[in-house]
Amino acid sequence: MMNNIWMMDNILDCTLFQKGIIKTDYIDNKNYKRICNTTGKLQDVSKTISEIVISPEIFLRDVIYYLYKVKPEKEDEIENKNNEKIFDTITNLEDVKEIKQQCQLNMPKTIVATYTILDKIMKEIKKDKELEEKLIQQKNDDINQIINQVKRETQKNDGNNREEDEINTKLEEIYNNVSKEIKKELQQQFEEIDTIENIINTFGKQAGKEAGIYEGLIDPDKVTKIIEYISHNNSFAYQKIKKITDLAGRMKLTYKEGRKDKVNDVAREEYKGIVLGDDLSNLLPYEVNLLKKNKKEFTVKYLNKELAVYEVETKHNIGYGPIILCIDESSSMKERMADYTKEIWAKALMMLILQRAYKQKRKFAVIQFTSHIGGITHFDPRKDNSLKILNVVLRHYNGGTNFREPIDKAIEIIKSEKVYKRADIIFITDGEDTLGREYIEKIKEEKKKHNIRFITMLIGGDSEELRQISDQYMNSDFVDEQIVSKIVKMI
C-alpha cells in the first residue's frame, strides 16, 4: 500500500499542472493530489483505466471536476484526443448528467461516483475482448501521434469515423448494461454520505459559516475519511452511525427546553493572543482582506493551518460549565434494550448532550471505559469536531466495568486543566462495581472542593454507591420522554 501511495505521489507531482480536458486551478490540483494519495479506490481505478486512457491520473481528475464543478469548462486545446473521446462518451450519457446534479459541490459524492462509474465500465469492457483491443489500439495510436508530433487532420476518412462511432456506441451499450447497478449502488452510498455529513454540519466549522467568512472550502482529509466510513469494508460503521443519529433525532423531539440557549447568557469569550490555525470564526482582519484579494493564497494558508487567528478562552457562567461524560463501553452494553443496544442508546444521548454543549460553546470531554480507560476525547466548540465525534461513536471496547478509573480521570482533568474548572461529570453505565466507603467520602470531598456536579444515568439495575456520590441519579430499564427531558434539563 505504501508503495502505491509513493508511486501515486510522484506521478501526481510530475503531472500536477499538466492540462487535461477540464480546466483546473492550483487549488483544484492540490486538493486532488491529497485526496488521491489517501483514497485506495481511486488508485485502483487509475491502474485499471491506464489500459485504455493516457495519463489515467489526469483523466480521473477530469471526471472528478466535471462532476464536482457547477459549470466545468473544457481546455481550449486538448492534446489527448483519445481521452477526450472516452470522456465525451461517458459525460454525454443522460444518466451521468443526472448523477452530476447530485455531485455538484459535494466532493465525497463526486469521488464515490467517479470510481463507481469507471470501475463498472472497465469490468464490462474486459468482458468484450474485441472492444478492449480497439480501445487499447486507439490509445496507442494517440500516443504515437503525440510522440511523433504528427499534426492531426481535421477531416478524417469515413472508415475511421465509422470505427469511432462503433466504439462510442459500444461504450454506451456497456454503460446501459450496468446503469441500474450503478444507480442502486450510488443511491445507497449517497444516503450514507448524507448521514455522515449531517454530523459534520452539526459539529463541523459552523463558526466560519455563521461569520460568513468562506464557504466551499474542501478539506481533503475529511473527504477521504468519509469515503473510508462508507466503503464496503466499513458498511457496519454507517449502520451504527445511522442508528445513533436517528435515535438522537428522535430524542431531541421528545423533550422541551427547560431554559433558553442564549449563547450570551451561557458563555463569553476573551482573547488571549494570536496563533496560527484554521479557525475561520476568529480570523485577524488582514486575513479576511487576504481572502477578498487573493483566494488562492488564503486557501493554501487554510489547508496548511497557517492563518493568523485570535486565541480565544471561553468563560462560562455558573450552571453552564464544561461537561465530562464517562460512557461505559463494556461487553454488556451490546445487549439490546427495546429496539436498540444499550451502547446505541448511550451514544445517542451523548450526541444530544454534545449538540447542546456545542451550541452553548461549552468545553466537552468523553471518557470511554470498561475495566480500564479505553479512550479520552476532548471537544472544543470553536473548532471542527466532526471527525472526533465519528471516531467516538464508532469506537467500542469489550471487558468488565471499573467505576473508579473514569471517575478519578474526570476529576484529574478538572483539577489539572483550567478549561474544565467547575465541570459537570455525567456518568452513563449499565454495570456494577464496588467503590467502598472510604472512596465515596474521598469523591464527596473532591466534589465539594472543586465545585463539581455529578450526574448518573444507570441503564437497568441500581447502584447505591453511585447514588451516594451523585447530585442527580436516574436508573431505568427503558428510555422514555421523561428520562430524556430530565437529563437534558439538568445540563
Side-chain angles (χ1 to χ4, degrees):
M1 181 66 179
M2 290 302 296
N3 287 337
N4 289 345
I5 292 174
W6 180 86
M7 288 174 63
M8 194 72 169
D9 194 48
N10 280 275
I11 290 170
L12 287 170
D13 275 337
C14 295
T15 59
L16 189 60
F17 299 104
Q18 182 180 328
K19 288 184 179 181
I21 300 165
I22 297 296
K23 288 182 179 179
T24 54
D25 59 24
Y26 176 83
I27 299 302
D28 292 335
N29 292 326
K30 288 289 286 185
N31 284 332
Y32 171 66
K33 176 186 173 182
R34 287 177 62 181
I35 291 168
C36 274
N37 280 347
T38 51
T39 307
K41 288 195 173 184
L42 281 181
Q43 295 171 26
D44 293 340
V45 169
S46 179
K47 289 180 185 177
T48 306
I49 64 173
S50 64
E51 297 178 19
I52 64 168
V53 301
I54 304 166
S55 300
E57 67 286 343
I58 300 301
F59 185 82
L60 269 180
R61 186 190 67 188
D62 289 328
V63 176
I64 286 170
Y65 282 109
Y66 163 77
L67 293 172
Y68 179 79
K69 291 176 179 283
V70 177
K71 293 182 179 180
E73 296 180 35
K74 270 192 169 187
E75 292 284 0
D76 298 328
E77 293 183 7
I78 299 171
E79 187 177 48
N80 295 338
K81 294 299 179 182
N82 172 70
N83 287 14
E84 186 182 16
K85 294 168 196 168
I86 297 173
F87 176 88
D88 287 344
T89 301
I90 293 172
T91 57
N92 285 331
L93 293 165
E94 289 303 317
D95 280 359
V96 174
K97 290 178 182 178
E98 289 179 16
I99 292 170
K100 173 178 168 53
Q101 294 300 314
Q102 300 177 70
C103 292
Q104 286 177 176
L105 300 180
N106 187 306
M107 189 54 77
K109 289 183 180 180
T110 295
I111 299 299
V112 168
T114 299
Y115 66 63
T116 300
I117 292 169
L118 294 179
D119 181 61
K120 299 291 184 189
I121 289 175
M122 284 304 301
K123 284 178 179 176
E124 289 298 306
I125 288 173
K126 286 186 173 298
K127 294 177 184 178
D128 190 329
K129 294 300 178 185
E130 183 181 350
L131 175 61
E132 185 179 15
E133 288 175 6
K134 286 181 179 179
L135 287 167
I136 292 171
Q137 186 59 52
Q138 183 174 273
K139 169 193 166 182
N140 292 335
D141 289 344
D142 208 39
I143 290 173
N144 289 331
Q145 286 183 323
I146 293 169
I147 292 173
N148 297 322
Q149 295 183 339
V150 176
K151 187 175 180 181
R152 298 176 181 84
E153 298 176 3
T154 54
Q155 298 294 325
K156 297 193 174 184
N157 61 56
D158 292 339
N160 283 341
N161 281 331
R162 278 198 300 272
E163 185 170 323
E164 284 184 12
D165 289 342
E166 287 174 8
I167 291 174
N168 291 341
T169 301
K170 195 67 179 175
L171 283 173
E172 290 177 16
E173 289 175 3
I174 277 176
Y175 182 86
N176 290 332
N177 291 340
V178 292
S179 62
K180 288 184 179 179
E181 186 180 345
I182 288 173
K183 282 183 177 180
K184 183 178 179 181
E185 193 169 313
L186 287 181
Q187 182 180 359
Q188 178 183 339
Q189 293 186 86
F190 286 177
E191 286 177 3
E192 294 174 6
I193 290 171
D194 287 339
T195 298
I196 295 172
E197 286 185 335
N198 181 48
I199 295 177
I200 287 173
N201 291 335
T202 302
F203 301 107
K205 280 187 166 54
Q206 283 186 199
K209 291 183 180 180
E210 288 169 2
I213 300 295
Y214 180 31
E215 295 187 36
L217 287 170
I218 296 172
D219 185 335
D221 296 332
K222 191 174 292 180
V223 170
T224 53
K225 201 70 177 175
I226 292 172
I227 301 301
E228 178 187 325
Y229 285 138
I230 62 123
S231 67
H232 292 299
N233 293 332
N234 288 284
S235 59
F236 77 92
Y238 162 68
Q239 295 300 329
K240 186 174 182 180
I241 290 167
K242 182 166 176 57
K243 286 179 182 178
I244 291 170
T245 53
D246 286 351
L247 181 56
R250 284 172 52 190
M251 285 180 173
K252 192 170 184 178
L253 295 174
T254 64
Y255 74 87
K256 294 180 180 180
E257 296 287 356
R259 53 190 178 187
K260 294 181 179 180
D261 290 336
K262 292 182 180 178
V263 173
N264 291 335
D265 295 336
V266 176
R268 66 185 187 279
E269 294 182 336
E270 294 181 359
Y271 294 122
K272 294 176 63 179
I274 296 172
V275 295
L276 296 180
D278 61 351
D279 184 357
L280 298 179
S281 61
N282 289 302
L283 287 176
L284 265 66
Y286 72 80
E287 296 287 21
V288 178
N289 289 333
L290 175 64
L291 171 61
K292 297 174 182 177
K293 295 176 181 178
N294 193 329
K295 177 181 172 182
K296 172 182 168 182
E297 185 181 345
F298 178 91
T299 308
V300 171
K301 290 178 74 174
Y302 168 79
L303 292 171
N304 294 327
K305 298 185 178 182
E306 294 176 350
L307 292 169
V309 298
Y310 291 110
E311 185 180 12
V312 177
E313 180 178 4
T314 303
K315 301 283 187 179
H316 296 280
N317 293 335
I318 296 172
Y320 288 98
I323 295 172
I324 300 176
L325 188 145
C326 302
I327 187 166
D328 190 345
E329 297 277 1
S330 60
S331 302
S332 59
M333 291 292 283
K334 290 184 178 179
E335 295 173 2
R336 295 193 71 80
M337 187 175 67
D339 296 330
Y340 301 95
T341 64
K342 296 174 183 177
E343 181 201 3
I344 296 295
W345 181 86
K347 287 183 175 175
L349 181 59
M350 175 195 72
M351 286 192 69
L352 192 64
I353 296 170
L354 182 52
Q355 282 182 36
R356 189 177 176 89
Y358 198 63
K359 184 177 180 181
Q360 296 172 342
K361 296 186 178 180
R362 299 163 73 178
K363 191 78 174 176
F364 192 97
V366 175
I367 299 175
Q368 295 170 274
F369 71 93
T370 56
S371 54
H372 60 279
I373 292 175
I376 302 173
T377 308
H378 297 271
F379 297 89
D380 187 334
R382 294 174 291 108
K383 296 183 179 179
D384 188 327
N385 295 286
S386 51
L387 295 184
K388 283 186 176 183
I389 189 68
L390 286 170
N391 288 334
V392 170
V393 163
L394 293 174
R395 195 185 296 143
H396 186 80
Y397 307 89
N398 292 315
T401 306
N402 182 332
F403 291 164
R404 290 193 181 203
E405 282 198 30
I407 293 172
D408 288 343
K409 177 55 70 174
I411 292 174
E412 179 189 323
I413 291 171
I414 293 169
K415 290 163 67 175
S416 62
E417 300 188 33
K418 188 178 178 181
V419 292
Y420 286 102
K421 188 178 180 182
R422 292 196 297 270
D424 292 340
I425 298 175
I426 301 175
F427 202 83
I428 301 177
T429 182
D430 75 331
E432 294 182 7
D433 189 27
T434 302
L435 297 178
R437 180 178 297 278
E438 188 176 330
Y439 183 78
I440 290 172
E441 292 305 317
K442 172 193 165 187
I443 296 303
K444 286 181 177 179
E445 285 297 319
E446 293 283 14
K447 284 176 53 191
K448 184 177 180 181
K449 182 178 179 181
H450 299 284
N451 197 15
I452 299 170
R453 191 167 57 138
F454 199 100
I455 300 169
T456 295
M457 176 65 224
L458 195 68
I459 307 172
D462 194 10
S463 172
E464 181 57 35
E465 291 186 316
L466 279 179
R467 191 189 294 271
Q468 289 182 49
I469 64 172
S470 299
D471 297 285
Q472 299 287 343
Y473 178 89
M474 289 159 288
N475 64 318
S476 178
D477 292 323
F478 59 93
V479 184
D480 60 13
E481 294 180 21
Q482 188 176 2
I483 290 290
V484 174
S485 180
K486 191 173 181 181
I487 292 173
V488 175
K489 287 178 181 178
M490 285 178 189
I491 57 170

